[in-house]
Amino acid sequence: MSNVKLSVNIAGVELKNPVGTASGTFASGKEYAEFVDLNKLGSVTVKGVSDRPWNGNPTPRIAETYGGMLNSIGLQNNGVEAFIKDDLQFLKKYDTKIIVNVCGHTEEEYLNVIKALSGTEVDMLELNISCPNLSAGGLSFGTEATCAEKLVRSAKNCAKQPLIVKLSPNVTSIAEIAKAVESGGADAVSLINSVMGMRIDTVRKKPILGNKVGGLSGPAIKPVAVRMVYEVYKAVKIPIIGMGGIMDGNDAVEFMLAGARAVSVGMANFHNPRATEHVLEGVIGYAEKYGINDINELVGAAHL
């Protein structure tokens, strides 16, 4: 049994350890429960939940790339009512914090989900501001600081749970967006979301994905993610949850040294269903090797 203090605090919510799952890669955890003991994880962030069922994007939706994968699922889900009735009931059986990724096309759609979850056992909300803002010509809420701040302020005003805001890397300055959402009332930020990319079938001479473009995730984006966490740590005072290409404990430690208080494991779950447990074991092993008594000692240590 390790003597390392592993608990971390995100916006007043105590996580037993800093390792959790990234939205979109773990669904509700049902698919992984026979491989992973969810009780060991600090948190489980479920895939995006909207106010009504979404069908998602046209197929094909997945394409492999060097060091990662492209996906264009389109946040397909059964809606918040089905989530509360089915997925949330499943997750409540486990001793882990439940984080729901909230998505929408308009401010009203986001708020509908937040209100529906207000009286539930959900521990935190993760506002996915990478969704297209239909009232702004399809631009993502998270790519323009004023728009992001406005949405976050509205969400915070009706949220009963602490509000994490998930930041898009597809911006000129992620630090500027982070400061805007902090000003809007965000309790924490998570980053990064996937990086926009594309693959073309050279035989068919057409894009491989049905939606033409998709989000790149996996080890290929990790250096970008670590750099952005490092920049955001210097720009805001609220906690950071880092993600983007984490495959092992050493990757997770990199994010914590850059400024992340917790980390989320995403694409690695597809490669190895037990990836989250392996990452946690690696973090503990690192702390023991280097005499770290409290895992929080790592947070932002690269800035010292």
Side-chain angles (χ1 to χ4, degrees):
M1 192 73 176
S2 174
N3 292 321
V4 180
K5 180 181 180 296
L6 293 172
S7 61
V8 298
N9 190 292
I10 304 291
V13 177
E14 193 82 4
L15 278 57
K16 68 174 70 174
N17 65 66
V19 178
T21 65
S23 172
T25 64
F26 215 74
S28 66
K30 291 179 183 177
E31 301 89 340
Y32 291 89
E34 63 180 292
F35 304 105
V36 181
D37 182 0
L38 301 185
N39 294 302
K40 292 183 179 180
L41 303 183
S43 63
V44 171
T45 300
V46 304
K47 68 180 296 184
V49 175
S50 53
D51 67 342
R52 63 186 186 282
W54 283 7
N55 293 324
N57 289 331
T59 58
R61 295 175 170 184
I62 299 290
E64 291 188 28
T65 67
Y66 293 115
M69 62 177 278
L70 287 166
N71 90 82
S72 181
I73 305 301
L75 294 167
Q76 178 180 342
N77 74 98
N78 294 324
V80 67
E81 289 185 12
F83 169 79
I84 293 171
K85 182 180 179 180
D86 186 16
D87 297 336
L88 182 56
Q89 297 307 309
F90 169 80
L91 285 170
K92 281 164 52 180
K93 299 184 297 185
Y94 295 94
D95 179 25
T96 187
K97 299 303 180 184
I98 303 169
I99 305 174
V100 175
N101 183 276
V102 177
C103 54
H105 293 122
T106 64
E107 181 178 303
E108 181 183 11
E109 290 183 8
Y110 280 101
L111 299 186
N112 287 342
V113 179
I114 292 170
K115 291 171 183 175
L117 294 172
S118 63
T120 67
E121 293 87 348
V122 169
D123 295 290
M124 289 187 280
L125 306 173
E126 181 183 59
L127 199 68
N128 186 353
I129 62 174
S130 297
C131 300
N133 178 1
L134 297 186
S135 64
L139 294 173
S140 292
F141 285 93
T143 58
E144 203 280 316
T146 302
C147 186
E149 181 177 351
K150 180 178 180 296
L151 175 62
V152 171
R153 180 167 284 111
S154 296
K156 181 61 181 174
N157 284 340
C158 73
K160 302 301 182 187
Q161 298 95 334
L163 187 67
I164 305 163
V165 178
K166 189 168 189 177
L167 304 183
S168 169
N170 305 300
V171 295
T172 303
S173 171
I174 198 166
E176 179 186 357
I177 305 296
K179 287 189 283 189
V181 302
E182 181 181 43
S183 177
D187 297 297
V189 288
S190 60
L191 59 146
I192 59 174
N193 209 330
S194 54
V195 178
M196 293 304 295
M198 185 180 195
R199 280 203 62 203
I200 294 175
D201 185 326
T202 56
V203 176
R204 295 172 54 247
K205 301 181 181 65
K206 294 181 182 299
I208 291 177
L209 295 174
N211 198 48
K212 297 183 173 61
V213 299
L216 175 64
S217 59
I221 72 168
K222 194 191 83 174
V224 176
V226 171
R227 184 263 296 178
M228 289 188 166
V229 167
Y230 190 88
E231 291 179 352
V232 169
Y233 181 79
K234 293 189 292 183
V236 301
K237 293 181 171 56
I238 53 180
I240 298 169
I241 301 173
M243 65 195 75
I246 295 175
M247 303 296 287
D248 57 30
N250 204 61
D251 290 336
V253 169
E254 265 195 80
F255 276 89
M256 298 190 77
L257 293 173
R261 194 173 299 178
V263 296
S264 295
V265 180
M267 197 216 75
N269 293 310
F270 301 141
H271 175 73
N272 172 15
R274 292 197 63 240
T276 45
E277 285 192 34
H278 289 168
V279 169
L280 177 58
E281 290 164 4
V283 170
I284 294 171
Y286 176 92
E288 291 175 340
K289 179 179 179 178
Y290 292 101
I292 306 295
N293 297 315
D294 183 340
I295 209 68
N296 290 279
E297 296 172 29
L298 297 176
V299 180
H303 295 262
L304 300 178

